[in-house]
């Protein structure tokens, strides 16, 4: 697989994650950790079903401890921190802090062997950050000390996801099929937390069940496999900068579904984020096909 192809595969994860908000709204009032347990279990089940056609893929689960720590720590750790952030801090502000992770990925990539961070990568990432700040502008306000744990969780979550993504590159020898095991472990941990702190609420309608299944197959399933391919074989700096499109696309889907209203801020944010992504991807866009 070429770097260009792997990068394009990674970009599909960003598109799938942009559907996360509207799909989550469609699931109803299912508690966060219960929903995580259900969707990660579905994602793992689909992956394992594909293993039946490729029996050798089960061998991908035999990985060193460090691979499991990074994989499960990244998937479960990030989601647990993000859910904690949303519980204690206002969603808009928590989301803004959390969306430091694309910039962190771009910056952390410079620590990887053979990677070089150019000016246009940094400019693209900063434009994306500016667009994201503008996207959340008008939603911020004074915060109380009770919200500090939520802000801290959102901030740490950004570092966890950026570290998981970049360390995936360092663990390039670990096959993407291993993500199925990481998803299953994450589902088990989420289920344990759910049983300790939440009350079970099952989907009330067929549409809600369909939304749960769709989440498990896409944004909380295939997206992590696509992201793993992108991080390990694609242009990690381009993917980091392009990730700022997630909140923008998510907002666009919410508008299309009638859950949000269009505004000038969103339009300007779109220009900044799209421009930043194109600048960061300059090498890939202009590179001659071989």
């Amino acid at each position: 697989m070429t770097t260009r192809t792997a990068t394009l595969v990674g970009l599909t994860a960003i598109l799938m994650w942009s559907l996360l908000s509207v799909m989550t709204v469609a699931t109803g009032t299912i508690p966060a950790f219960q929903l995580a347990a259900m969707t990660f279990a579905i994602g793992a089940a689909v992956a394992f079903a594909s293993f039946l056609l490729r029996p050798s893929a089960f061998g991908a689960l035999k990985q060193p401890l460090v691979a499991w720590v990074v994989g499960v720590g990244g998937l479960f750790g990030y989601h647990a921190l993000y859910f904690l952030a949303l519980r204690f801090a206002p969603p808009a502000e928590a989301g803004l802090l959390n969306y430091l992770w694309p910039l962190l990925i771009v910056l952390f990539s410079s620590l990887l062997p053979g990677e070089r961070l150019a000016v246009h990568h940094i400019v693209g990432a900063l434009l994306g950050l500016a667009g994201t700040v503008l996207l959340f502008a008008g939603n911020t306000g004074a915060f109380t000390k009770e919200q500090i744990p939520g802000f801290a969780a959102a901030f740490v979550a950004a570092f966890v996801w950026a570290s998981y993504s970049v360390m995936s590159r360092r663990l390039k020898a670990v096959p993407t099929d291993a993500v199925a095991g990481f998803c299953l472990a994450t589902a088990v941990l989420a289920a344990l937390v759910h049983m300790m702190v939440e009350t079970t609420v099952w989907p009330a309608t067929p549409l809600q069940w369909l939304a749960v299944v769709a989440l498990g197959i896409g944004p909380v399933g295939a997206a992590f496999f696509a992201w793993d391919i992108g991080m390990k074989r694609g242009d990690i700096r381009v993917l980091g900068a392009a990730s700022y499109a997630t909140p923008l696309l998510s907002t666009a889907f919410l508008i299309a579904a009638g859950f949000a209203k269009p505004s000038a801020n969103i339009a300007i944010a779109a220009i900044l984020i799209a421009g930043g992504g194109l600048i960061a991807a300059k090498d890939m866009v202009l590179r001659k096909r071989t």
Side-chain angles (χ1 to χ4, degrees):
M1 183 179 293
T2 65
T3 299
R4 182 191 294 269
T5 300
T7 303
L8 292 174
V9 171
L11 290 174
T12 66
I14 296 172
L15 179 60
M16 284 186 275
W17 286 331
S18 68
L19 292 167
L20 185 63
S21 295
V22 69
M23 285 186 175
T24 299
V25 171
T27 63
T29 58
I30 302 172
F33 280 99
Q34 180 190 344
L35 184 61
M38 293 171 69
T39 52
F40 271 103
I42 291 170
V46 172
F48 282 123
S50 73
F51 286 8
L52 297 177
L53 303 176
R54 303 176 292 117
S56 60
F58 283 101
L61 302 179
K62 297 179 181 179
Q63 298 300 326
L65 179 61
V66 64
W68 281 92
V69 170
V70 171
V72 179
L75 295 182
F76 177 74
Y78 170 76
H79 287 86
L81 285 166
Y82 188 56
F83 292 154
L84 183 64
L86 295 180
R87 183 173 181 180
F88 288 100
E93 286 83 348
L96 180 56
L97 267 178
N98 177 65
Y99 265 100
L100 286 172
W101 66 259
L103 177 60
L104 292 174
I105 287 178
V106 174
L107 297 178
F108 289 174
S109 69
S110 63
L111 303 176
L112 294 169
E115 295 292 340
R116 183 178 62 85
L117 194 60
V119 174
H120 63 277
H121 296 128
I122 299 175
V123 171
L126 290 176
L127 282 175
L129 178 61
T132 303
V133 170
L134 185 60
L135 191 63
F136 286 92
N139 294 322
T140 57
F143 62 88
T144 64
K145 63 180 181 180
E146 288 79 13
Q147 296 171 343
I148 292 178
F151 290 128
F155 185 72
V156 175
F159 277 85
V160 168
W161 188 252
S163 299
Y164 161 74
S165 299
V166 174
M167 289 180 71
S168 294
R169 183 66 153 238
R170 295 297 299 266
L171 297 172
K172 197 173 182 177
V174 177
T176 295
D177 284 329
V179 174
F182 305 155
C183 286
L184 180 59
T186 298
V188 172
L189 290 173
L192 291 174
V193 175
H194 163 66
M195 289 187 289
M196 290 187 291
V197 303
E198 295 176 339
T199 300
T200 301
V201 177
W202 295 110
T205 66
L207 180 60
Q208 291 180 0
W209 275 108
L210 182 61
V212 170
V213 173
L215 271 174
I217 294 175
V220 191
F224 293 116
F225 291 86
W227 189 247
D228 189 75
I229 291 172
M231 287 293 104
K232 289 177 177 174
R233 300 180 178 85
D235 191 322
I236 194 170
R237 300 151 305 182
V238 170
L239 289 169
S243 296
Y244 279 115
T246 305
L248 177 66
L249 291 173
S250 178
T251 303
F253 285 125
L254 287 171
I255 290 173
F259 296 118
K261 295 181 179 180
S263 69
N265 276 11
I266 293 176
I268 299 173
I271 295 173
L272 288 171
I273 293 172
L278 287 174
I279 290 172
K282 178 175 72 72
D283 295 336
M284 188 181 78
V285 174
L286 299 180
R287 185 186 304 140
K288 293 181 179 180
R289 296 180 181 274
T290 57

